């Protein structure tokens, strides 16, 4: 099984295995680059893996949300498909979590730091070649932080080159990314096995992955989940191809029809804009006109 598939990821790091808590704490400390006295030592799962909930709602995003010993909230998500304006979506996830840290009538001082970690199997940030980007709220000219409460991480796996270093020179995060990216890749079996010998926590995660992969029921759930994810990716690719073909015919009116059809198909505005070369504002105007026509 591939750890990048959210069903597998959540089983490993928030499932029923007794080692899951230890593995997640280690992964979080690796991503957040915390100093020794700042490291996370305890977590409370706010949405542990629930088999019944998964069966009833297979299309939900299986993220992991925890509270640390300091009361800070962390949401970690793995994602294969780039959809729904992912930058805004991750900021929305952060804002929703931040609001959860205060009760009605409490002082704003009680608001706690919230962190969103996104591990992506696609490139999102065209502005950088770095595989790990961290965003906070800072003053534009003098670069000082407004406060530390907002922190969003993007880890883009396609940008991570796991062949650039030997295992002994990898840091903890790089070792985890090799596990997430390559554990199911037979062509990378040699490096992964060497990594397991080098790292106790990676070996522990590898044993859980093997146990999951041998469980027939878990395998069927994994296949269902992966099929749904691939179907979604194929549907979006097909829609893009159809739009590109339509655009070859040119004409502004033709573009409007393409936009309307794309909206009907549920294609995100940012994807339509990228393919049609129209601005998102132009597409929103077409959308408003179209909705008035339908009413």
């Amino acid at each position: 099984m591939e750890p990048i598939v959210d069903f597998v990821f959540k089983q490993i790091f928030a499932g029923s295995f007794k080692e899951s808590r230890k593995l997640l704490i280690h992964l979080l400390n690796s991503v957040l680059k915390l100093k020794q006295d700042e490291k996370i030592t305890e977590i409370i799962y706010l949405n542990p893996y629930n088999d019944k909930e998964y069966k009833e709602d297979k299309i939900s995003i299986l993220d992991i949300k925890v509270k640390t010993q300091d009361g800070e909230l962390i949401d970690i998500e793995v994602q294969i498909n780039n959809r729904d304006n992912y930058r805004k979506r991750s900021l929305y996830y952060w804002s929703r979590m931040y609001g959860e840290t205060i009760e009605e009538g409490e002082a704003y001082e009680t608001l706690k730091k919230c962190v969103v970690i996104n591990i992506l199997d696609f490139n999102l940030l065209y502005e950088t070649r770095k595989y790990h980007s961290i965003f906070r709220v800072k003053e534009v000219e003098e670069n000082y932080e407004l406060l530390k409460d907002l922190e969003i991480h993007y880890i883009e796996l396609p940008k991570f080159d796991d062949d650039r270093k030997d295992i002994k020179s990898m840091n903890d995060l790089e070792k985890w990314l090799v596990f997430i990216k390559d554990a199911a890749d037979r062509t990378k079996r040699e490096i992964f096995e060497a990594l397991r010998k080098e790292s106790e926590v990676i070996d522990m995660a590898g044993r859980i992955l093997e146990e999951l992969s041998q469980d027939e029921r878990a395998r069927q759930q994994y296949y269902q989940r992966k099929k749904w994810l691939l179907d979604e990716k194929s549907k979006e690719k097909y829609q893009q191809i159809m739009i590109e073909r339509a655009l070859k015919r040119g004409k502004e009116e033709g573009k409007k029809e393409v936009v309307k059809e794309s909206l009907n198909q549920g294609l995100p505005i940012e994807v339509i804009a990228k393919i049609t070369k129209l601005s998102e504002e132009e597409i929103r105007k077409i959308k408003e006109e179209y909705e008035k026509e339908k009413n």
Side-chain angles (χ1 to χ4, degrees):
M1 295 185 188
E2 299 173 63
I4 189 60
V5 173
D6 54 5
F7 165 76
V8 180
F9 188 89
K10 192 162 186 178
Q11 284 269 31
I12 293 171
F13 293 100
S16 58
F17 298 95
K18 66 179 186 298
E19 303 93 343
S20 293
R21 186 182 302 272
K22 179 179 179 179
L23 295 179
L24 183 57
I25 288 174
H26 191 279
L27 174 62
L28 292 175
N29 284 324
S30 302
V31 172
L32 301 177
K33 303 177 181 178
L34 297 174
K35 297 176 183 176
Q36 192 60 41
D37 59 341
E38 299 174 332
K39 285 191 173 183
I40 297 167
T41 56
E42 293 291 335
I43 56 172
I44 298 171
Y45 287 106
L46 301 180
N47 64 341
Y49 177 79
N50 186 307
D51 190 57
K52 182 175 183 295
E53 288 178 5
Y54 173 72
K55 283 181 180 178
E56 292 174 354
D57 189 9
K58 293 185 177 65
I59 66 172
S60 292
I61 301 302
L62 298 178
D63 61 333
I64 299 174
K65 188 190 294 183
V66 299
K67 181 188 285 188
T68 72
Q69 72 270 13
D70 297 322
E72 297 174 354
L73 298 188
I74 303 175
D75 186 82
I76 181 167
E77 179 182 326
V78 292
Q79 185 63 255
I80 291 176
N81 299 333
N82 181 11
R83 301 198 66 183
D84 303 327
N85 199 325
Y86 202 90
R87 297 188 191 203
K88 288 190 175 184
R89 175 171 136 176
S90 53
L91 184 59
Y92 170 71
Y93 278 9
W94 174 86
S95 65
R96 191 173 63 181
M97 271 206 309
Y98 195 52
E100 292 173 1
T101 66
I102 189 171
E103 298 291 337
E104 187 175 348
E106 288 185 333
Y108 291 118
E109 182 66 28
T110 63
L111 284 162
K112 294 289 187 179
K113 179 177 179 178
C114 291
V115 181
V116 173
I117 299 171
N118 305 277
I119 302 176
L120 310 175
D121 199 25
F122 55 85
N123 289 334
L124 177 72
L125 307 175
Y126 56 83
E127 298 91 342
T128 181
R129 294 182 179 178
K130 292 196 312 175
Y131 69 84
H132 184 194
S133 300
I134 306 169
F135 291 86
R136 297 184 179 125
V137 180
K138 295 188 176 184
E139 204 283 328
V140 173
E141 293 183 356
E142 297 185 14
N143 200 40
Y144 64 87
E145 282 190 300
L146 177 66
L147 72 175
K148 297 184 182 296
D149 288 14
L150 168 66
E151 188 169 305
I152 300 178
H153 294 246
Y154 297 101
I155 298 172
E156 301 168 272
L157 292 179
K159 293 179 181 177
F160 173 65
D161 181 4
D162 49 359
D163 295 325
R164 65 192 171 136
K165 292 183 176 182
D166 61 51
I167 291 169
K168 292 187 181 298
S169 64
M170 286 182 179
N171 62 36
D172 287 340
L173 176 57
E174 289 168 334
K175 291 173 182 176
W176 274 120
L177 296 188
V178 171
F179 170 75
I180 293 168
K181 185 180 179 185
D182 296 334
D185 186 344
R186 295 184 183 278
T187 66
K188 301 287 184 71
R189 179 59 55 185
E190 187 175 341
I191 186 172
F192 179 56
E193 290 303 323
L195 183 58
R196 290 184 64 173
K197 291 177 182 177
E198 177 72 21
S199 169
E200 179 187 346
V201 288
I202 300 298
D203 184 51
M204 199 181 297
R207 290 199 303 272
I208 290 177
L209 183 62
E210 288 172 348
E211 188 174 333
L212 271 176
S213 300
Q214 292 165 9
D215 184 305
E216 178 61 29
R217 187 158 161 268
R219 272 210 316 274
Q220 291 306 317
Q221 290 176 305
Y222 166 72
Y223 292 143
Q224 288 175 10
R225 182 62 172 177
K226 190 173 179 183
K227 179 181 182 300
W228 182 82
L229 291 168
L230 292 175
D231 285 348
E232 287 296 298
K233 182 176 279 191
S234 297
K235 183 169 71 174
E236 185 171 325
K237 184 67 176 175
Y238 173 75
Q239 290 169 337
Q240 290 180 8
I241 291 171
M242 296 307 292
I243 289 174
E244 288 167 359
R245 286 178 181 172
L247 289 176
K248 286 180 181 178
R249 295 193 291 269
K251 293 185 180 180
E252 199 61 33
E253 197 57 38
K255 283 190 177 184
K256 287 186 178 182
E257 293 306 313
V258 167
V259 170
K260 292 176 183 179
E261 179 58 28
S262 302
L263 291 169
N264 281 337
Q265 295 294 325
L267 206 61
I269 286 177
E270 67 272 14
V271 173
I272 301 172
K274 184 177 179 181
I275 298 171
T276 61
K277 310 304 180 187
L278 295 172
S279 69
E280 291 189 16
E281 185 59 35
E282 287 175 303
I283 293 170
R284 287 192 184 94
K285 286 180 180 178
I286 295 172
K287 182 180 180 183
E288 288 175 8
E289 292 171 4
Y290 184 42
E291 287 174 348
K292 285 179 182 177
E293 288 174 13
K294 290 194 295 185
N295 294 331

